[in-house]
Amino acid sequence: MERRAYAIQAEHLVKVYGQGRTRVEVLKGVNLAMRGGELWALMGPSGSGKTTLLTILGLVTEPTQGRLCIDGEDIYGGKRPDLARLRREKTGFVFQSPNLIPFLTAQENVLLPLSLIGARRQAARARVMQLLESLEVAERADLYPNQLSGGEKQRIAIARALANSPKLIMADEPTASLDAGRALGVMHLLRQAARKHDTAVLVVTHDHRLLGEVDHVTRIMDGRIVDVPDAPPTPDHRRLATASAGRPGGRPARS
Ligand code: ADP
Ligand code: MG
């Protein structure tokens, strides 16, 4: 099978807030690499650094240290990056609350990121309708957010995140306010979106029932990624785990 390129590679990301007595090291050397088409879950207790990591990967926050490549581009490797532009072109966000603009229709909400990157109006409209169709909300295109259900709004928010064909989508607890059925539906849509648009999608979730949809689960504890094997532990796995205990970086490189 053809190997997809890395959409994102993060090496030793460190994030420190404050200084002196208020100094907190929120991320303590995070490494991860995701390929286009992959859906990953990010799990971890409250305060462990999930949102901080997402905002760094999504180019909203600058890391204190470390290397970040998106779509092969070393973001902080050269001269000062134009983060606002890179963010508009390369990343998309889905939040717990859909955050749609109330005075724009569903269609106009999805169109907005395309307007920001100066897409041609006709091509942009066609893309928006195609996205709304693929998320099965095309018939809601002309409605305003207050006329949509929670699940529909979240679909529109996913369409908006996909609008600029980003290499990377961050979703911060997008299913937290949905019932179990709708939550699974949204996770399934994110998986389809990843596959279909060759985008890497990283989703923060606390819901173990949704993990069947994801390609990989990564866990963060106190600012560090902790190793979790993809397969459920078998006696052999446990012996391996014991043998490799203490080895830094635990998880073997993905081949
Ligand atoms: P999570 O999303 O896993 O709950 P966060 O990334 O939001 O965790 O926060 C991790 C830690 O970083 C928390 O202790 C939080 O208080 C701290 N933190 C987050 N943002 C800031 C900030 N802008 N200034 C200072 N501390 C922050
Ligand atoms: Mg958070």
Side-chain angles (χ1 to χ4, degrees), residues 17 24 26 45-52:
Y17 283 117
V24 266
V26 177
S46 172
S48 56
K50 302 181 298 296
T51 295
T52 303

Side-chain angles (χ1 to χ4, degrees), residues 45-52 54 96 172-173 204 206:
S46 172
S48 56
K50 302 181 298 296
T51 295
T52 303
L54 254 58
Q96 178 174 340
D172 202 352
E173 307 195 37
V204 173
H206 297 286

Side-chain angles (χ1 to χ4, degrees), residues 3-25:
R3 172 105 289 156
R4 290 172 196 253
Y6 282 120
I8 183 155
Q9 285 174 284
E11 287 168 23
H12 200 76
L13 291 179
V14 172
K15 182 66 184 179
V16 174
Y17 283 117
Q19 46 186 308
R21 266 195 290 172
T22 63
R23 183 182 190 279
V24 266
E25 197 174 7

